[in-house]
Amino acid sequence: MMRRKSYAITVRFCPADYTAIQTKIAKSHQLQQDYITAALLDGMIIDTAGAQSLLPELRRQGNNLNQCARRLNQLRQYDAQQIEPILSELHRTLQSLMNTYAAIQSPIVTERRDNNGDN
């Protein structure tokens, strides 16, 4: 059954991207519309919003670490009781950042349609 196609989406590409896309379409031996439709419907959607939320926290922790290092270099003598809570807090924050990063590294597939029964 032929589906009626009544909607259009316009997308602009730089020349290099356009050429690369056209090359892939030619290699697929599909019509451009079929190739692009399949790529959009079967492709994986990766949520990168979590990565953006990490950046400010990474900057803050980097600043904290630099302040700690400067202070330790000024003191020349280290008191473990003063350093331990700072290092513990940095470790907890780093662990939290690593967990968040790991979560956003695994692609989140929002929808996947199997057209040809391969998967």
Side-chain angles (χ1 to χ4, degrees), residues 5 10-11 19 23 32 37 39 43-44 46 60 65 88 97 117:
K5 296 176 178 157
T10 302
V11 181
T19 302
T23 301
Q32 177 173 291
T37 300
M44 291 174 45
I46 300 172
R60 279 192 291 278
L65 186 58
S88 293
L97 290 170

Side-chain angles (χ1 to χ4, degrees), residues 74-118:
Q74 289 172 350
L75 292 175
R76 301 278 184 218
Q77 292 181 343
Y78 309 117
D79 181 2
Q81 289 180 339
Q82 291 176 335
I83 296 172
E84 192 171 328
I86 296 169
L87 291 178
S88 293
E89 179 62 28
L90 286 172
H91 182 265
R92 278 192 300 278
T93 303
L94 178 59
Q95 193 64 44
S96 173
L97 290 170
M98 288 172 48
N99 291 341
T100 304
Y101 180 75
I104 64 172
Q105 280 298 83
S106 354
I108 299 170
V109 180
T110 58
E111 184 176 332
R112 187 172 188 112
R113 187 180 74 184
D114 186 4
N115 285 336
N116 55 12
D118 289 343

Side-chain angles (χ1 to χ4, degrees), residues 17-49:
D17 290 345
Y18 180 79
T19 302
I21 291 166
Q22 291 300 317
T23 301
K24 288 184 174 192
I25 291 169
K27 287 180 181 178
S28 75
H29 303 291
Q30 293 180 340
L31 296 174
Q32 177 173 291
Q33 179 173 325
D34 294 338
Y35 180 87
I36 292 172
T37 300
L40 291 172
L41 293 176
D42 295 340
M44 291 174 45
I45 307 300
I46 300 172
D47 179 4
T48 59

Side-chain angles (χ1 to χ4, degrees), residues 52-80:
Q52 296 302 317
S53 67
L54 282 179
L55 295 177
E57 186 60 30
L58 277 173
R59 286 187 190 104
R60 279 192 291 278
Q61 292 308 314
N63 288 338
N64 289 347
L65 186 58
N66 284 338
Q67 289 172 3
C68 290
R70 258 184 271 153
R71 183 69 179 137
L72 288 173
N73 286 330
Q74 289 172 350
L75 292 175
R76 301 278 184 218
Q77 292 181 343
Y78 309 117
D79 181 2

